[in-house]
Amino acid sequence: MSLLLGVPVIADKIPSYEEFRDFILFSDWQNSLYTYATNKELRHQHIAQAQKYISMKYNKDRVISQWSSLFQALL
């Protein structure tokens, strides 16, 4: 959600965040905060790329398709 709203992300590495590894900084909080604070281009690049990725992967057609597949598998 943060990336969609244009907020750069620093997070501890957990499996569910792994797909966003190209768009966020992991751990090393002090250096990561410094990196984002001093590198406007990187902040904008991460946000733009993440928003594109998220809108392609998590659009309504994909969600409908995934739910439909689940329901068909259960029938």
Side-chain angles (χ1 to χ4, degrees):
M1 182 63 83
S2 296
L3 291 166
L4 278 175
L5 295 175
V7 178
V9 173
I10 301 168
D12 289 323
K13 208 173 220 186
I14 60 173
S16 61
Y17 293 166
E18 187 61 31
E19 74 174 292
F20 301 104
R21 69 187 167 278
D22 294 334
F23 320 119
I24 66 177
L25 298 179
F26 282 119
S27 303
D28 192 8
W29 286 79
Q30 186 172 356
N31 285 326
S32 293
L33 282 168
Y34 180 81
T35 298
Y36 272 149
T38 60
N39 192 333
K40 182 179 180 179
E41 184 179 326
L42 180 64
R43 290 192 314 265
H44 288 276
Q45 178 185 358
H46 277 185
I47 290 167
Q49 291 174 342
Q51 289 173 336
K52 182 178 178 181
Y53 172 81
I54 293 166
S55 67
M56 287 181 1
K57 183 161 184 186
Y58 294 101
N59 62 52
K60 71 176 183 174
D61 292 332
R62 182 171 163 91
V63 172
I64 290 169
S65 173
Q66 288 176 322
W67 278 107
S68 295
S69 294
L70 173 66
F71 290 136
Q72 288 176 358
L74 293 174
L75 296 176

